[in-house]
């Protein structure tokens, strides 16, 4: 596989006379991929069953014959206005009970059977027409599932779907009442038809009800995607992708990925720093023009694990975006750094969003590679530089990392359903651990808990894993290095109840969580020897060896053999101590990196990236701000 660059292009937004010029310039810039079509439904089918394929035929011909491979998107993220006349009840309903309106995108409800049929119909027509097109390189299904808070829908269609899903899961109402503990507060149901969606209850809904709804909603996304994947496959042998978002936890990307050949995601480092990274204001100020030093890498590592290893960045920020609270311009060099960083994590293609800034519509303030006057925009030269550089380093490369970090979407739902402390965020907990590992120069693979090769990693971390499934228990029983679990590991049964033998309930680990507490932001629980627990702490008991102590004498971490249970959310100092000690024990190399510098190893290369706004020294190299160094291993 060869490293390559691309862009997102919307031929329907530009006069056809421009297409050949644009295509020629893309190739001159060094791009070899172009993605299109994902929002073009109203242009393809302007009236129900009335098709206008000719423009798309021509656009594919023009771009393809210029030398570009095409990613064609199914346009189902933007159903046309006429769809509402056919299916007036297809709109998603928000948690406030209000129907979401037409006029932007992603307004459909995943559970509406009529809309799902429409989505499969249009995907099937596109597949039949273009499935073996010589210039078609890959498919993209829909765009950014879940984005703009669109996974959970409280529509009538969702209610019917949820009742069916529950009937299939539980078989009879008795087992559902038992699993949910409906004896509590007189919530016993007599039939599945009596069950509503978990909104507008007086106080919190039953957590098992809420959790089942989250699972149902995620299954709907998986099924929606699988239905399109099946019809594309029936007509085409080109690889199928979906384009995922950053910090989007509302559905299970691993489950969706089982129906894909390639996972892609959208990397907007500056927008994400402003609206998706939990960090102090001075941190955000320091990295305002570079992005958070770990957020891109986290998603590169996450999505690499989603579709069996093949992954791309489908949308790379090239300049200011339009959608974050503040939208600064990148520091010169950062577009190149972000691109190389994605390659360092094993990406096949980095594709810039978008080719030309549109002077109309919702995203007119969003930069592209070309300005609205069609002059090259600020990122142009950096993209040209990377295009030249990858010619000298063409091969996509990844090796197995020494560390596996477990990421489990269901745990994110569980701890949203029952945070127990308002700042308990599963994502932030896992991300803290990821950051701690990266500060030590470690390369990381992010895997689902049922990943088959988990036992092969010297070091596995699984913070906040709400239930321990059979596959995961098998993996950790076979682990040869160290597995660090907790806090909140195995804290619930699959029915969202506290296991009455107490968590974590691992046969080989003689340690129990006697009770838990959440901590206010101005509280901490100091550890003996330095560092503290923040947000969350557990009281541990049992006969396993105490390997870390709280200052109050209690056990902070306990170990039996290859398994360590960590009874709290460690702060930076505590995490650093734990990780350094464990790596030293396991013989895993750590590198002390200056603040803002990050390292990533592939099979044959070692990359250094300077996210900091000042020059930095690392491993004998001086890196300017936005600097990239590539060393041989
Ligand atoms: C992405 C989306 C694109 C565009 C872009 C703007 O989330 O896929 O269609 O809206 O953001 O940054």
């Amino acid at each position: 596989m060869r490293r390559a660059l691309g862009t997102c292009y919307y031929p329907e937004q530009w006069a056809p006379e421009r297409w050949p010029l644009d295509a020629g310039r893309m190739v001159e810039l060094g791009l070899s991929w172009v993605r299109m079509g994902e929002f073009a439904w109203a242009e393809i089918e302007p009236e129900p069953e009335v098709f206008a394929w000719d423009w798309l035929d021509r656009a594919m011909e023009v771009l393809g014959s210029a030398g570009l491979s095409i990613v064609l998107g199914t346009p189902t993220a933007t159903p046309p206005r006429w769809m509402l006349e056919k299916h007036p009840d297809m709109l998603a309903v928000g948690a406030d009970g209000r129907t979401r309106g037409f006029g932007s995108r992603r307004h459909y409800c995943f559970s509406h059977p009529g809309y799902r049929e429409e989505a499969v119909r249009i995907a099937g027509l596109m597949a039949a027409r273009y499935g073996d097109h010589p210039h078609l390189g890959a498919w993209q299904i829909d765009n950014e599932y879940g984005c703009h808070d669109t996974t959970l829908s409280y529509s009538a269609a969702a209610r019917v779907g949820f009742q069916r899903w529950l009937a299939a899961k539980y078989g009879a109402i008795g087992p559902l009442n038992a699993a949910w503990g409906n004896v509590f507060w007189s919530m016993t149901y007599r039939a599945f038809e009596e069950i509503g969606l978990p909104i507008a209850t007086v106080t919190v809904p039953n957590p098992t009800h809420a959790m089942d709804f989250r699972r149902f909603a995620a299954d709907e996304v998986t099924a929606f995607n699988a239905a399109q994947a099946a019809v594309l496959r029936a007509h085409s042998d080109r690889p199928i992708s979906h384009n995922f978002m950053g910090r989007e936890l509302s559905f299970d990307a691993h489950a969706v990925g089982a129906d894909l050949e390639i996972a892609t995601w959208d990397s907007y480092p500056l927008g994400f720093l402003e609206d998706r990274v939990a960090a102090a204001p001075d941190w955000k100020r320091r990295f305002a023009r570079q992005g958070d030093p770990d957020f891109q890498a986290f998603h590169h590592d996450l999505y690499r694990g989603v579709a069996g290893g093949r992954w791309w960045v489908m949308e790379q920020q090239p300049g200011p975006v339009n959608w974050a609270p503040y939208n600064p311009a990148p520091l010169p060099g950062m577009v190149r750094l972000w691109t190389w960083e994605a390659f360092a994590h094993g990406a096949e293609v980095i594709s810039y969003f978008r080719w030309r800034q549109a002077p109309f519509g919702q995203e007119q303030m969003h930069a592209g590679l070309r300005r609205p006057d069609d002059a090259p925009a600020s990122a142009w030269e950096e993209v040209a530089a990377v295009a030249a550089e990858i010619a000298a380093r063409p091969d996509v490369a990844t090796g197995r990392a020494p560390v596996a970090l477990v990421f489990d979407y269901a745990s994110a739902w569980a701890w949203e359903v029952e945070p127990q402390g308002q700042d308990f965020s599963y994502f932030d907990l896992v991300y803290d651990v990821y950051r701690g590992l990266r500060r030590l120069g470690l390369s990381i693979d992010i895997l689902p808990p049922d990943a088959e090769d988990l036992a092969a990693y010297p070091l596995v971390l699984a913070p906040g894993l709400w239930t321990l499934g059979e596959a995961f228990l098998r993996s950790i029983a076979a682990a040869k290095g160290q597995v660090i679990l907790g806090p909140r590991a195995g804290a619930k049964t699959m029915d969202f109840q506290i296991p009455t033998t107490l968590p974590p309930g691992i046969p080989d680990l003689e340690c129990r969580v006697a009770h838990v507490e959440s901590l206010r932001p101005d509280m901490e629980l100091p550890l003996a020897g330095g560092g503290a627990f923040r947000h969350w702490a557990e009281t541990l008991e049992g006969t396993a060896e105490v390997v870390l102590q709280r200052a109050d004498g209690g056990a902070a971490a306990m170990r039996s053999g290859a398994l360590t249970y960590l009874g709290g959310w460690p702060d930076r100092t505590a995490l650093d101590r734990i990780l350094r000690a464990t790596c030293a024990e396991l013989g895993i190399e750590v590198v002390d990196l200056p603040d803002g510098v990050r390292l990533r190893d592939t099979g044959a290369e070692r990359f250094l990236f300077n996210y900091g706004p000042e020059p930095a020294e690392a491993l004998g190299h001086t890196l300017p701000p936005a600097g990239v160094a590539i060393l041989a291993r």
Side-chain angles (χ1 to χ4, degrees):
M1 214 60 81
R2 298 249 148 165
R3 289 170 175 157
L5 302 175
T7 192
C8 306
Y9 187 62
Y10 301 94
E12 70 276 21
Q13 298 177 5
W14 308 105
E17 303 76 68
R18 281 197 175 195
W19 301 346
L21 194 62
D22 286 337
R25 284 185 173 142
M26 289 176 198
V27 174
E28 269 167 48
L29 179 60
L31 309 185
S32 45
W33 285 89
V34 62
R35 178 191 59 160
M36 61 171 76
E38 82 275 14
F39 300 127
W41 199 334
E43 302 304 311
I44 293 170
E45 191 179 9
E47 301 279 346
E49 307 288 343
V50 176
F51 295 95
W53 296 110
D54 42 320
W55 71 268
L56 187 52
D57 294 351
R58 246 182 307 134
M60 290 190 53
E61 193 41 47
V62 168
L63 288 141
S65 56
L68 296 153
S69 286
I70 293 166
V71 180
L72 190 59
T74 69
T76 52
T78 49
R81 180 62 183 81
W82 54 252
M83 193 69 77
L84 295 185
E85 267 129 62
K86 264 178 116 174
H87 304 287
D89 55 349
M90 62 161 280
L91 293 168
V93 176
D96 55 3
R98 290 169 62 185
T99 302
R100 306 192 81 171
F102 181 84
S104 63
R105 60 180 178 183
R106 299 216 57 76
H107 43 283
Y108 66 87
C109 172
F110 279 100
S111 299
H112 192 273
Y115 184 64
R116 193 174 300 177
E117 268 175 41
E118 298 278 357
V120 170
R121 179 181 64 84
I122 193 71
L125 290 168
M126 289 179 84
R129 190 167 189 95
Y130 302 114
D132 55 9
H133 193 289
H135 302 311
L136 180 72
W139 292 100
Q140 174 183 310
I141 301 177
D142 202 283
N143 190 60
E144 291 184 339
Y145 292 139
C147 193
H148 319 304
D149 196 10
T150 51
T151 296
L152 300 182
S153 166
Y154 300 87
S155 68
R159 179 174 171 155
V160 172
F162 183 46
Q163 291 170 349
R164 283 207 194 107
W165 184 94
L166 292 170
K169 174 170 177 177
Y170 292 102
I173 199 71
L176 177 143
N177 281 318
W180 290 15
N182 281 336
V183 60
F184 201 78
W185 288 356
S186 247
M187 293 180 297
T188 304
Y189 294 103
R190 293 166 304 165
F192 291 106
E193 293 70 38
E194 288 184 343
I195 299 173
L197 301 177
I199 43 163
T201 50
V202 173
T203 179
V204 285
N206 178 313
T208 317
H209 182 178
M211 186 67 189
D212 269 345
F213 182 60
R214 301 297 307 257
R215 289 161 154 152
F216 156 75
D219 282 359
E220 293 289 82
V221 177
T222 305
F224 183 89
N225 183 73
Q228 286 197 48
V231 73
L232 294 180
R233 268 192 197 107
H235 295 279
S236 182
D237 61 1
R238 309 301 145 87
I240 299 175
S241 67
H242 171 70
N243 184 34
F244 296 93
M245 215 352 177
R247 196 173 178 154
E248 179 50 67
L249 313 176
S250 60
F251 65 93
D252 187 340
H254 292 122
V256 170
D259 293 308
L260 305 174
E261 277 84 36
I262 303 173
T264 76
W265 84 284
D266 293 338
S267 182
Y268 289 97
L270 305 191
F272 289 150
L273 176 75
E274 287 295 337
D275 87 346
R276 262 158 235 227
V277 176
D282 58 340
W283 178 271
K284 293 201 177 193
R285 173 64 193 88
R286 176 166 161 75
F287 294 107
R289 294 195 186 281
Q290 305 95 297
D292 184 274
D294 300 302
F295 198 80
Q296 291 63 252
F298 180 91
H299 290 85
H300 298 337
D301 291 341
L302 173 68
Y303 289 122
R304 191 175 61 249
V306 155
R310 294 192 64 185
W311 75 279
W312 303 11
V313 172
M314 190 61 90
E315 300 180 17
Q316 173 62 62
Q317 173 169 8
V321 301
N322 62 301
W323 44 263
Y326 302 98
N327 298 297
L331 196 71
M334 282 313 292
V335 172
R336 170 174 174 265
L337 182 152
W338 295 327
T339 306
W340 267 114
E341 187 178 38
F343 285 133
H345 286 256
E348 294 175 13
V349 179
I350 317 304
S351 154
Y352 301 91
F353 184 93
R354 50 186 280 153
W355 174 248
R356 182 167 38 242
Q357 183 170 355
F360 45 79
Q362 278 94 327
E363 294 178 342
Q364 49 188 276
M365 301 306 290
H366 194 298
L369 293 178
R370 299 189 74 83
R371 307 186 316 198
D373 66 354
D374 209 21
S378 59
W380 186 268
E381 292 305 326
E382 291 185 36
V383 175
V386 178
E389 288 165 351
I390 57 173
R393 294 186 169 270
D395 296 326
V396 173
T398 35
R400 184 198 289 280
V403 184
L405 179 61
V406 171
F407 193 81
D408 174 46
Y409 287 87
S411 295
W413 312 330
W415 302 142
E416 271 173 36
V417 166
E418 192 187 65
Q420 179 69 4
Q422 67 177 17
D423 54 4
F424 193 97
S425 148
Y426 175 71
F427 182 88
D428 290 341
L429 172 65
V430 177
Y431 190 56
D432 260 10
V433 173
Y434 183 80
R435 217 196 253 305
L437 292 163
R438 294 252 301 165
R439 275 197 213 101
L440 296 174
L442 292 160
S443 296
I444 302 142
D445 289 339
I446 299 182
L447 297 171
D450 59 356
E452 270 167 27
D453 51 349
L454 220 47
Y457 285 81
L459 176 57
V460 178
L461 293 116
L465 192 58
W466 82 296
T467 59
L468 309 179
E470 274 170 35
F472 180 76
L473 286 171
R474 265 198 312 277
S475 291
I476 64 173
K480 298 197 181 53
Q482 268 297 308
V483 181
I484 303 181
L485 299 137
R488 293 192 101 169
K492 301 287 167 170
T493 66
M494 284 301 211
D495 292 334
F496 213 115
Q497 302 191 6
I498 297 174
T500 51
T501 49
L502 297 186
I506 301 170
D508 296 335
L509 183 59
E510 232 317 294
C511 155
R512 279 178 308 280
V513 178
H515 56 87
V516 303
E517 59 173 338
S518 56
L519 305 173
R520 292 168 46 92
D522 53 5
M523 290 169 84
E524 60 174 34
L525 219 144
L527 303 184
F533 285 155
R534 306 283 316 269
H535 310 295
W536 189 266
E538 302 177 342
T539 299
L540 306 182
E541 59 182 35
T543 57
E545 184 194 353
V546 176
V547 287
L548 188 67
Q549 270 196 318
R550 292 161 40 154
D552 64 11
M558 296 179 81
R559 176 189 285 191
S560 293
L563 305 179
T564 299
Y565 188 89
L566 180 63
W569 182 324
D571 69 0
R572 178 176 171 155
T573 308
L575 182 63
D576 196 64
R577 282 177 61 201
I578 296 163
L579 294 177
R580 278 178 195 274
T582 313
C583 288
E585 222 182 295
L586 297 170
I588 297 173
E589 179 204 9
V590 303
V591 181
D592 280 302
L593 293 169
D595 193 31
V597 174
R598 293 296 187 260
L599 180 159
R600 163 80 192 169
D601 287 330
T602 66
E605 302 154 306
R606 167 163 284 185
F607 290 83
L608 292 170
F609 300 100
N610 185 13
Y611 268 86
E614 64 283 312
E617 295 284 329
L619 298 175
H621 290 260
T622 304
L623 294 152
V628 176
I630 310 178
L631 331 179
R633 285 189 75 196

